[in-house]
Coordinates of all heavy atoms in Angstrom, one line a residue:
L1157 N -116.6 -131.6 -61.8 CA -118.0 -131.2 -61.4 C -117.9 -130.4 -60.1 O -118.8 -129.5 -60.0 CB -118.8 -132.5 -61.1 CG -119.1 -133.4 -62.3 CD1 -119.9 -134.6 -61.9 CD2 -119.9 -132.6 -63.3
K1158 N -117.0 -130.6 -59.3 CA -116.9 -129.8 -58.0 C -116.7 -128.3 -58.4 O -117.2 -127.5 -57.7 CB -115.7 -130.3 -57.2 CG -115.5 -129.5 -55.9 CD -114.4 -130.1 -55.1 CE -114.3 -129.3 -53.8 NZ -113.3 -129.8 -52.9
Y1159 N -116.0 -128.0 -59.4 CA -115.7 -126.6 -59.8 C -116.5 -126.1 -61.0 O -116.2 -125.1 -61.6 CB -114.2 -126.4 -60.0 CG -113.4 -126.7 -58.8 CD1 -112.7 -127.8 -58.7 CD2 -113.4 -125.8 -57.7 CE1 -111.9 -128.1 -57.6 CE2 -112.7 -126.1 -56.6 CZ -111.9 -127.2 -56.5 OH -111.2 -127.5 -55.4
G1160 N -117.5 -126.9 -61.4 CA -118.3 -126.5 -62.5 C -119.0 -125.1 -62.4 O -119.0 -124.6 -61.3
R1161 N -119.5 -124.6 -63.5 CA -120.1 -123.3 -63.5 C -121.6 -123.5 -64.0 O -121.8 -123.9 -65.1 CB -119.4 -122.4 -64.4 CG -120.0 -121.0 -64.4 CD -119.2 -120.0 -65.3 NE -120.0 -118.8 -65.5 CZ -119.9 -118.0 -66.5 NH1 -119.1 -118.3 -67.5 NH2 -120.6 -116.9 -66.6
G1162 N -122.5 -123.2 -63.1 CA -123.9 -123.3 -63.4 C -124.4 -122.0 -64.0 O -123.7 -121.0 -64.1
E1163 N -125.6 -122.0 -64.4 CA -126.2 -120.8 -65.0 C -126.1 -119.6 -64.1 O -125.9 -118.5 -64.6 CB -127.7 -121.0 -65.4 CG -127.9 -121.8 -66.7 CD -129.3 -121.9 -67.0 OE1 -130.1 -121.0 -66.7 OE2 -129.7 -122.9 -67.7
N1164 N -126.3 -119.7 -62.9 CA -126.4 -118.6 -61.9 C -125.1 -118.3 -61.2 O -125.1 -117.5 -60.3 CB -127.5 -118.8 -61.0 CG -128.9 -118.9 -61.7 OD1 -129.1 -118.1 -62.6 ND2 -129.7 -119.8 -61.2
D1165 N -124.0 -119.0 -61.6 CA -122.7 -118.9 -60.9 C -122.0 -117.7 -61.5 O -122.1 -117.4 -62.7 CB -121.9 -120.1 -61.0 CG -122.5 -121.3 -60.1 OD1 -123.2 -120.9 -59.1 OD2 -122.3 -122.4 -60.4
D1166 N -121.1 -117.2 -60.8 CA -120.2 -116.1 -61.3 C -119.1 -116.7 -62.1 O -118.8 -117.9 -62.1 CB -119.8 -115.1 -60.2 CG -118.9 -115.8 -59.2 OD1 -118.4 -116.9 -59.4 OD2 -118.7 -115.2 -58.1
K1167 N -118.4 -115.8 -62.8 CA -117.3 -116.2 -63.7 C -116.1 -116.8 -62.9 O -115.3 -117.6 -63.4 CB -116.8 -115.1 -64.5 CG -115.7 -115.4 -65.5 CD -116.0 -114.8 -66.8 CE -114.9 -115.1 -67.8 NZ -115.2 -116.2 -68.7
Q1168 N -116.0 -116.5 -61.6 CA -114.9 -117.0 -60.8 C -114.9 -118.5 -60.7 O -113.8 -119.1 -60.7 CB -115.0 -116.4 -59.3 CG -113.8 -116.8 -58.5 CD -112.4 -116.4 -59.1 OE1 -112.3 -115.2 -59.6 NE2 -111.5 -117.2 -59.1
N1169 N -116.1 -119.1 -60.7 CA -116.1 -120.6 -60.7 C -115.5 -121.2 -61.9 O -114.8 -122.2 -61.9 CB -117.6 -121.1 -60.6 CG -118.1 -120.9 -59.2 OD1 -117.4 -120.6 -58.2 ND2 -119.4 -121.1 -59.1
Q1170 N -115.7 -120.5 -63.1 CA -115.1 -121.0 -64.3 C -113.6 -120.8 -64.3 O -112.8 -121.7 -64.7 CB -115.7 -120.2 -65.5 CG -115.1 -120.7 -66.8 CD -115.7 -119.9 -68.0 OE1 -116.2 -118.8 -67.8 NE2 -115.6 -120.4 -69.2
I1171 N -113.1 -119.7 -63.8 CA -111.7 -119.4 -63.6 C -111.0 -120.5 -62.7 O -110.0 -121.0 -63.0 CB -111.4 -118.0 -63.2 CG1 -111.9 -117.0 -64.2 CG2 -110.0 -117.8 -62.8 CD1 -111.9 -115.6 -63.8
T1172 N -111.7 -120.8 -61.6 CA -111.2 -121.8 -60.7 C -111.1 -123.1 -61.3 O -110.1 -123.8 -61.2 CB -112.1 -121.8 -59.4 OG1 -112.1 -120.6 -58.8 CG2 -111.6 -122.9 -58.5
T1173 N -112.1 -123.5 -62.1 CA -112.1 -124.8 -62.8 C -110.9 -124.8 -63.8 O -110.2 -125.8 -63.8 CB -113.4 -125.0 -63.6 OG1 -114.5 -125.0 -62.7 CG2 -113.4 -126.3 -64.4
Y1174 N -110.7 -123.8 -64.6 CA -109.6 -123.8 -65.5 C -108.2 -123.9 -64.8 O -107.3 -124.6 -65.3 CB -109.6 -122.5 -66.4 CG -110.8 -122.4 -67.4 CD1 -111.1 -121.2 -68.0 CD2 -111.5 -123.6 -67.7 CE1 -112.1 -121.2 -68.9 CE2 -112.5 -123.5 -68.6 CZ -112.8 -122.3 -69.2 OH -113.9 -122.2 -70.1
M1175 N -108.1 -123.2 -63.7 CA -106.8 -123.3 -62.9 C -106.6 -124.7 -62.4 O -105.5 -125.2 -62.5 CB -106.9 -122.3 -61.7 CG -106.8 -120.9 -62.1 SD -106.9 -119.7 -60.8 CE -106.6 -120.5 -59.3
R1176 N -107.6 -125.4 -61.9 CA -107.5 -126.8 -61.4 C -107.1 -127.7 -62.6 O -106.3 -128.6 -62.4 CB -108.7 -127.2 -60.7 CG -109.1 -126.4 -59.5 CD -108.0 -126.4 -58.4 NE -108.4 -125.6 -57.3 CZ -108.1 -124.3 -57.1 NH1 -107.4 -123.7 -58.0 NH2 -108.4 -123.7 -56.0
V1177 N -107.8 -127.6 -63.7 CA -107.5 -128.4 -64.8 C -106.1 -128.2 -65.3 O -105.4 -129.2 -65.6 CB -108.5 -128.2 -66.0 CG1 -108.1 -128.9 -67.3 CG2 -109.9 -128.7 -65.6
R1178 N -105.6 -127.0 -65.4 CA -104.3 -126.7 -65.8 C -103.3 -127.3 -64.8 O -102.3 -127.9 -65.2 CB -104.1 -125.1 -65.8 CG -102.7 -124.7 -66.1 CD -102.0 -125.1 -67.3 NE -102.8 -125.1 -68.5 CZ -102.6 -125.9 -69.6 NH1 -101.6 -126.7 -69.6 NH2 -103.4 -125.8 -70.6
E1179 N -103.5 -127.2 -63.5 CA -102.7 -127.9 -62.5 C -102.6 -129.4 -62.8 O -101.5 -130.0 -62.7 CB -103.1 -127.6 -61.1 CG -102.3 -128.2 -60.1 CD -102.7 -127.9 -58.6 OE1 -103.7 -127.2 -58.4 OE2 -102.1 -128.5 -57.7
L1180 N -103.8 -130.0 -63.0 CA -103.8 -131.4 -63.2 C -103.0 -131.8 -64.4 O -102.2 -132.7 -64.4 CB -105.3 -131.9 -63.4 CG -105.5 -133.3 -63.9 CD1 -105.0 -134.3 -63.0 CD2 -107.0 -133.5 -64.2
M1181 N -103.2 -131.1 -65.5 CA -102.4 -131.4 -66.8 C -100.9 -131.2 -66.6 O -100.1 -132.0 -67.1 CB -103.0 -130.5 -67.9 CG -104.4 -130.9 -68.3 SD -105.1 -129.9 -69.6 CE -104.0 -130.3 -71.0
E1182 N -100.5 -130.1 -65.9 CA -99.1 -129.8 -65.7 C -98.5 -130.9 -64.9 O -97.4 -131.4 -65.2 CB -98.9 -128.5 -65.1 CG -99.2 -127.3 -66.1 CD -99.1 -126.0 -65.4 OE1 -99.0 -125.9 -64.1 OE2 -99.3 -125.0 -66.1
R1183 N -99.1 -131.3 -63.8 CA -98.6 -132.4 -63.0 C -98.5 -133.7 -63.7 O -97.6 -134.5 -63.5 CB -99.4 -132.4 -61.7 CG -99.1 -131.2 -60.8 CD -99.9 -131.2 -59.5 NE -99.6 -132.3 -58.7 CZ -100.3 -132.5 -57.5 NH1 -101.2 -131.7 -57.1 NH2 -100.0 -133.6 -56.8
F1184 N -99.5 -134.0 -64.4 CA -99.5 -135.3 -65.2 C -98.4 -135.3 -66.2 O -97.7 -136.2 -66.3 CB -100.9 -135.5 -65.9 CG -101.0 -136.8 -66.7 CD1 -101.6 -137.9 -66.0 CD2 -100.5 -136.9 -67.9 CE1 -101.7 -139.1 -66.7 CE2 -100.6 -138.1 -68.6 CZ -101.2 -139.2 -68.0
E1185 N -98.2 -134.2 -66.9 CA -97.2 -134.1 -67.9 C -95.8 -134.1 -67.3 O -94.9 -134.7 -67.8 CB -97.3 -132.8 -68.7 CG -96.3 -132.7 -69.9 CD -96.7 -131.6 -70.8 OE1 -97.5 -130.7 -70.5 OE2 -96.1 -131.6 -71.9
A1186 N -95.7 -133.6 -66.1 CA -94.4 -133.6 -65.4 C -94.0 -135.1 -65.0 O -92.9 -135.5 -65.1 CB -94.4 -132.8 -64.1
K1187 N -95.0 -135.9 -64.7 CA -94.8 -137.3 -64.4 C -94.6 -138.2 -65.6 O -93.7 -139.1 -65.6 CB -95.9 -137.8 -63.5 CG -95.7 -139.2 -63.1 CD -96.7 -139.7 -62.0 CE -96.4 -141.1 -61.7 NZ -96.8 -141.5 -60.4
H1188 N -95.4 -137.9 -66.6 CA -95.4 -138.9 -67.8 C -94.8 -138.3 -69.1 O -94.7 -139.0 -70.1 CB -96.8 -139.4 -68.0 CG -97.4 -140.1 -66.9 ND1 -96.9 -141.4 -66.6 CD2 -98.4 -139.8 -66.0 CE1 -97.6 -141.8 -65.5 NE2 -98.5 -140.9 -65.2
G1189 N -94.5 -137.0 -69.1 CA -93.8 -136.4 -70.2 C -94.7 -135.8 -71.3 O -94.3 -135.1 -72.1
T1190 N -96.0 -136.1 -71.2 CA -97.0 -135.6 -72.2 C -98.4 -135.9 -71.6 O -98.6 -136.7 -70.7 CB -96.8 -136.3 -73.5 OG1 -97.7 -135.7 -74.5 CG2 -97.1 -137.8 -73.5
V1191 N -99.4 -135.2 -72.2 CA -100.8 -135.6 -72.0 C -101.4 -136.1 -73.2 O -102.6 -136.4 -73.2 CB -101.6 -134.3 -71.5 CG1 -101.1 -133.9 -70.1 CG2 -101.5 -133.2 -72.5
N1192 N -100.7 -136.3 -74.3 CA -101.2 -136.8 -75.5 C -101.2 -138.3 -75.5 O -100.2 -139.0 -75.4 CB -100.2 -136.3 -76.7 CG -100.7 -136.7 -78.0 OD1 -100.6 -137.9 -78.3 ND2 -101.1 -135.8 -78.8
C1193 N -102.4 -138.9 -75.7 CA -102.6 -140.3 -75.7 C -101.7 -141.1 -76.7 O -101.1 -142.1 -76.3 CB -104.1 -140.7 -76.0 SG -105.2 -140.3 -74.6
K1194 N -101.6 -140.6 -77.9 CA -100.8 -141.3 -78.9 C -99.3 -141.4 -78.4 O -98.7 -142.4 -78.6 CB -100.9 -140.5 -80.2 CG -100.2 -141.2 -81.4 CD -100.4 -140.5 -82.7 CE -99.7 -141.2 -83.8 NZ -100.0 -140.5 -85.1
H1195 N -98.8 -140.3 -77.8 CA -97.5 -140.4 -77.3 C -97.3 -141.2 -76.1 O -96.4 -142.0 -75.9 CB -97.0 -138.9 -77.0 CG -96.8 -138.1 -78.2 ND1 -97.2 -136.8 -78.3 CD2 -96.4 -138.4 -79.5 CE1 -97.0 -136.3 -79.5 NE2 -96.5 -137.3 -80.2
L1196 N -98.3 -141.2 -75.2 CA -98.3 -142.1 -74.0 C -98.3 -143.5 -74.4 O -97.8 -144.4 -73.7 CB -99.5 -141.7 -73.1 CG -99.5 -140.4 -72.4 CD1 -100.9 -140.1 -71.8 CD2 -98.4 -140.4 -71.3
L1197 N -98.9 -143.8 -75.5 CA -99.1 -145.2 -76.0 C -98.0 -145.6 -77.1 O -98.3 -146.4 -77.9 CB -100.5 -145.5 -76.5 CG -101.6 -145.4 -75.4 CD1 -103.0 -145.5 -76.0 CD2 -101.4 -146.3 -74.3
S1198 N -96.9 -144.9 -77.0 CA -95.8 -145.2 -77.9 C -96.2 -145.1 -79.4 O -95.8 -146.0 -80.2 CB -95.2 -146.5 -77.6 OG -94.7 -146.5 -76.3
G1199 N -97.0 -144.2 -79.8 CA -97.4 -144.0 -81.2 C -98.6 -144.7 -81.6 O -99.0 -144.6 -82.8
C1200 N -99.3 -145.4 -80.8 CA -100.5 -146.1 -81.1 C -101.6 -145.1 -81.4 O -102.0 -144.3 -80.5 CB -100.9 -147.1 -80.0 SG -102.4 -148.0 -80.3
D1201 N -102.1 -145.1 -82.6 CA -103.2 -144.2 -83.0 C -104.5 -144.8 -82.8 O -105.0 -145.6 -83.7 CB -102.9 -143.7 -84.4 CG -103.8 -142.6 -84.9 OD1 -104.8 -142.3 -84.1 OD2 -103.6 -142.1 -86.0
L1202 N -105.2 -144.4 -81.7 CA -106.5 -145.0 -81.4 C -107.6 -144.6 -82.4 O -108.7 -145.1 -82.4 CB -106.9 -144.7 -80.0 CG -106.0 -145.3 -78.9 CD1 -106.4 -144.8 -77.6 CD2 -106.1 -146.9 -79.0
S1203 N -107.3 -143.6 -83.2 CA -108.4 -143.1 -84.2 C -108.4 -144.0 -85.4 O -109.3 -143.7 -86.3 CB -108.1 -141.7 -84.6 OG -106.9 -141.5 -85.3
T1204 N -107.6 -145.0 -85.5 CA -107.6 -145.9 -86.7 C -107.9 -147.3 -86.3 O -107.6 -147.7 -85.1 CB -106.2 -145.9 -87.4 OG1 -105.2 -146.5 -86.5 CG2 -105.8 -144.5 -87.8
A1205 N -108.4 -148.1 -87.2 CA -108.7 -149.5 -86.9 C -107.4 -150.3 -86.6 O -107.4 -151.1 -85.7 CB -109.4 -150.2 -88.1
T1206 N -106.3 -150.0 -87.3 CA -105.0 -150.6 -87.0 C -104.6 -150.3 -85.6 O -104.1 -151.1 -84.9 CB -104.0 -150.1 -88.1 OG1 -104.5 -150.5 -89.4 CG2 -102.7 -150.8 -87.8
G1207 N -104.7 -149.0 -85.2 CA -104.3 -148.6 -83.9 C -105.1 -149.3 -82.8 O -104.6 -149.7 -81.8
Q1208 N -106.4 -149.4 -83.0 CA -107.3 -150.0 -82.0 C -106.9 -151.5 -81.9 O -106.9 -152.1 -80.8 CB -108.7 -149.9 -82.4 CG -109.2 -148.4 -82.3 CD -110.6 -148.2 -82.9 OE1 -111.3 -149.1 -83.0 NE2 -110.9 -147.0 -83.1
Q1209 N -106.6 -152.1 -83.0 CA -106.1 -153.5 -83.0 C -104.8 -153.7 -82.2 O -104.6 -154.6 -81.4 CB -106.0 -154.1 -84.4 CG -105.7 -155.5 -84.5 CD -105.6 -156.0 -85.9 OE1 -105.5 -155.3 -86.9 NE2 -105.6 -157.4 -86.1
E1210 N -103.9 -152.8 -82.5 CA -102.6 -152.8 -81.8 C -102.8 -152.6 -80.3 O -102.1 -153.2 -79.5 CB -101.7 -151.7 -82.4 CG -100.4 -151.5 -81.7 CD -99.6 -150.3 -82.2 OE1 -99.9 -149.7 -83.2 OE2 -98.7 -149.9 -81.4
F1211 N -103.7 -151.7 -80.0 CA -104.0 -151.4 -78.6 C -104.5 -152.7 -77.9 O -104.0 -153.0 -76.8 CB -105.1 -150.3 -78.5 CG -105.5 -149.9 -77.1 CD1 -104.7 -149.0 -76.4 CD2 -106.7 -150.4 -76.6 CE1 -105.1 -148.6 -75.1 CE2 -107.1 -150.0 -75.3 CZ -106.3 -149.1 -74.6
Q1212 N -105.4 -153.4 -78.5 CA -105.9 -154.6 -77.9 C -104.9 -155.7 -77.9 O -104.7 -156.4 -76.8 CB -107.1 -155.1 -78.7 CG -108.3 -154.1 -78.5 CD -109.5 -154.6 -79.2 OE1 -109.5 -155.4 -80.1 NE2 -110.7 -154.0 -78.9
Q1213 N -104.2 -155.9 -79.0 CA -103.2 -157.0 -79.0 C -102.0 -156.9 -78.1 O -101.5 -157.9 -77.6 CB -102.7 -157.2 -80.5 CG -103.7 -157.7 -81.4 CD -103.2 -157.8 -82.9 OE1 -102.3 -157.1 -83.2 NE2 -103.9 -158.6 -83.7
N1214 N -101.6 -155.6 -77.8 CA -100.5 -155.4 -77.0 C -100.8 -155.1 -75.6 O -99.9 -154.7 -74.8 CB -99.6 -154.3 -77.6 CG -99.0 -154.7 -78.9 OD1 -98.5 -155.8 -79.1 ND2 -99.1 -153.8 -79.9
G1215 N -102.1 -155.2 -75.2 CA -102.5 -154.9 -73.8 C -102.2 -153.5 -73.3 O -101.9 -153.3 -72.2
L1216 N -102.3 -152.6 -74.2 CA -102.0 -151.2 -73.9 C -103.0 -150.6 -72.8 O -102.7 -149.6 -72.2 CB -101.9 -150.3 -75.1 CG -100.8 -150.7 -76.0 CD1 -100.8 -149.8 -77.3 CD2 -99.4 -150.5 -75.4
I1217 N -104.1 -151.2 -72.7 CA -105.1 -150.8 -71.6 C -104.4 -150.7 -70.3 O -104.7 -149.9 -69.4 CB -106.3 -151.7 -71.6 CG1 -107.4 -151.1 -70.8 CG2 -106.1 -153.1 -71.2 CD1 -108.1 -149.8 -71.3
E1218 N -103.4 -151.6 -70.1 CA -102.7 -151.7 -68.8 C -102.0 -150.3 -68.5 O -102.0 -149.8 -67.4 CB -101.8 -152.8 -68.7 CG -102.4 -154.2 -68.7 CD -103.4 -154.4 -67.6 OE1 -103.1 -154.0 -66.4 OE2 -104.4 -155.1 -67.8
R1219 N -101.5 -149.8 -69.5 CA -100.8 -148.4 -69.4 C -101.9 -147.4 -69.0 O -101.6 -146.5 -68.2 CB -100.2 -148.0 -70.7 CG -98.9 -148.6 -71.0 CD -98.2 -147.9 -72.0 NE -97.2 -148.7 -72.7 CZ -96.5 -148.3 -73.7 NH1 -96.6 -147.1 -74.3 NH2 -95.6 -149.2 -74.3
C1220 N -103.0 -147.5 -69.7 CA -104.1 -146.5 -69.4 C -104.5 -146.6 -67.9 O -104.8 -145.6 -67.3 CB -105.3 -146.7 -70.3 SG -104.9 -146.4 -72.0
Y1221 N -104.6 -147.8 -67.4 CA -105.0 -147.9 -66.0 C -104.0 -147.1 -65.1 O -104.4 -146.5 -64.1 CB -105.0 -149.4 -65.5 CG -106.0 -150.2 -66.2 CD1 -105.8 -151.6 -66.4 CD2 -107.3 -149.7 -66.6 CE1 -106.8 -152.4 -67.0 CE2 -108.2 -150.5 -67.2 CZ -108.0 -151.9 -67.4 OH -108.9 -152.7 -68.0
G1222 N -102.7 -147.2 -65.4 CA -101.7 -146.5 -64.6 C -101.9 -145.0 -64.8 O -101.8 -144.2 -63.8
Y1223 N -102.3 -144.5 -66.0 CA -102.5 -143.1 -66.2 C -103.7 -142.6 -65.5 O -103.7 -141.5 -64.9 CB -102.6 -142.8 -67.7 CG -101.3 -143.1 -68.5 CD1 -101.4 -143.7 -69.7 CD2 -100.1 -142.9 -68.0 CE1 -100.3 -144.1 -70.4 CE2 -98.9 -143.2 -68.7 CZ -99.0 -143.8 -69.9 OH -97.9 -144.1 -70.6
V1224 N -104.8 -143.4 -65.4 CA -106.0 -143.1 -64.7 C -105.6 -143.0 -63.2 O -106.1 -142.1 -62.5 CB -107.1 -144.1 -65.0 CG1 -108.3 -143.9 -64.0 CG2 -107.6 -144.0 -66.4
D1225 N -104.8 -143.9 -62.7 CA -104.4 -143.9 -61.3 C -103.7 -142.6 -61.0 O -103.9 -142.0 -60.0 CB -103.5 -145.1 -61.0 CG -103.2 -145.2 -59.5 OD1 -104.1 -145.3 -58.7 OD2 -102.0 -145.2 -59.2
T1226 N -102.8 -142.2 -61.9 CA -102.1 -140.9 -61.7 C -103.1 -139.7 -61.6 O -103.0 -138.9 -60.7 CB -101.1 -140.6 -62.9 OG1 -100.1 -141.6 -62.9 CG2 -100.5 -139.2 -62.8
V1227 N -104.1 -139.7 -62.5 CA -105.1 -138.6 -62.5 C -105.8 -138.6 -61.2 O -106.0 -137.5 -60.5 CB -106.0 -138.7 -63.7 CG1 -107.2 -137.7 -63.5 CG2 -105.3 -138.4 -65.0
V1228 N -106.3 -139.8 -60.7 CA -107.0 -139.8 -59.5 C -106.2 -139.4 -58.3 O -106.7 -138.6 -57.4 CB -107.5 -141.3 -59.2 CG1 -108.1 -141.4 -57.8 CG2 -108.6 -141.6 -60.3
T1229 N -104.9 -139.8 -58.3 CA -104.0 -139.3 -57.2 C -103.9 -137.8 -57.2 O -103.9 -137.2 -56.1 CB -102.7 -140.0 -57.3 OG1 -102.9 -141.4 -57.2 CG2 -101.7 -139.6 -56.3
I1230 N -103.6 -137.3 -58.4 CA -103.4 -135.8 -58.5 C -104.7 -135.1 -58.0 O -104.6 -134.1 -57.3 CB -103.0 -135.4 -59.9 CG1 -101.6 -135.9 -60.2 CG2 -103.0 -133.9 -60.0 CD1 -101.2 -135.8 -61.7
V1231 N -105.9 -135.5 -58.5 CA -107.1 -134.8 -58.2 C -107.3 -134.9 -56.6 O -107.7 -133.9 -56.0 CB -108.3 -135.4 -58.9 CG1 -109.6 -135.0 -58.4 CG2 -108.2 -135.1 -60.4
D1232 N -107.1 -136.1 -56.0 CA -107.2 -136.2 -54.6 C -106.3 -135.2 -53.9 O -106.7 -134.6 -52.9 CB -106.8 -137.6 -54.1 CG -108.0 -138.6 -54.4 OD1 -109.1 -138.2 -54.7 OD2 -107.7 -139.8 -54.3
E1233 N -105.0 -135.1 -54.4 CA -104.1 -134.1 -53.8 C -104.6 -132.7 -53.9 O -104.4 -131.9 -53.0 CB -102.7 -134.3 -54.4 CG -102.1 -135.6 -54.0 CD -100.8 -136.0 -54.7 OE1 -100.4 -135.2 -55.6 OE2 -100.2 -137.0 -54.4
I1234 N -105.1 -132.3 -55.1 CA -105.6 -131.0 -55.3 C -106.8 -130.7 -54.3 O -106.8 -129.6 -53.7 CB -106.1 -130.8 -56.8 CG1 -104.9 -130.8 -57.7 CG2 -106.9 -129.5 -56.9 CD1 -105.2 -130.8 -59.2
Y1235 N -107.7 -131.6 -54.2 CA -108.8 -131.5 -53.2 C -108.3 -131.3 -51.8 O -108.8 -130.5 -51.0 CB -109.8 -132.6 -53.3 CG -110.7 -132.6 -54.6 CD1 -111.5 -133.7 -54.8 CD2 -110.7 -131.5 -55.4 CE1 -112.3 -133.7 -56.0 CE2 -111.6 -131.5 -56.5 CZ -112.4 -132.6 -56.8 OH -113.2 -132.6 -57.9
A1236 N -107.4 -132.2 -51.4 CA -106.8 -132.2 -50.1 C -106.1 -130.9 -49.7 O -106.2 -130.4 -48.6 CB -105.9 -133.4 -49.9
A1237 N -105.5 -130.3 -50.7 CA -104.7 -129.0 -50.5 C -105.7 -127.9 -50.2 O -105.3 -126.9 -49.6 CB -103.9 -128.7 -51.7
E1238 N -106.9 -128.0 -50.6 CA -107.9 -127.0 -50.4 C -108.7 -127.1 -49.1 O -109.4 -126.1 -48.8 CB -108.9 -127.0 -51.6 CG -108.2 -126.6 -52.9 CD -109.1 -126.8 -54.1 OE1 -110.3 -127.3 -53.9 OE2 -108.7 -126.4 -55.2
E1239 N -108.6 -128.2 -48.5 CA -109.4 -128.4 -47.2 C -108.7 -127.9 -46.0 O -107.6 -127.5 -46.0 CB -109.7 -129.8 -47.1 CG -110.6 -130.3 -48.2 CD -110.9 -131.8 -48.1 OE1 -110.4 -132.5 -47.3 OE2 -111.8 -132.2 -48.9

């Protein structure tokens, strides 16, 4: 939201947003090897009922918490570098 583009904003805001998102994705992938949920969850396919059941039964939400923590840390670092 910080870098969003409103109706009256110039295209530079959109470009800045894309650059920040790209940085976030690259840094996340460097740490975890991928940005693909299925790969992050060792092949668990959340788009299927079986995958959702596997996700719940194996406590895979705990992995997700770690991934969210990584994203928050990276976003904080991106913001801090700009100040």
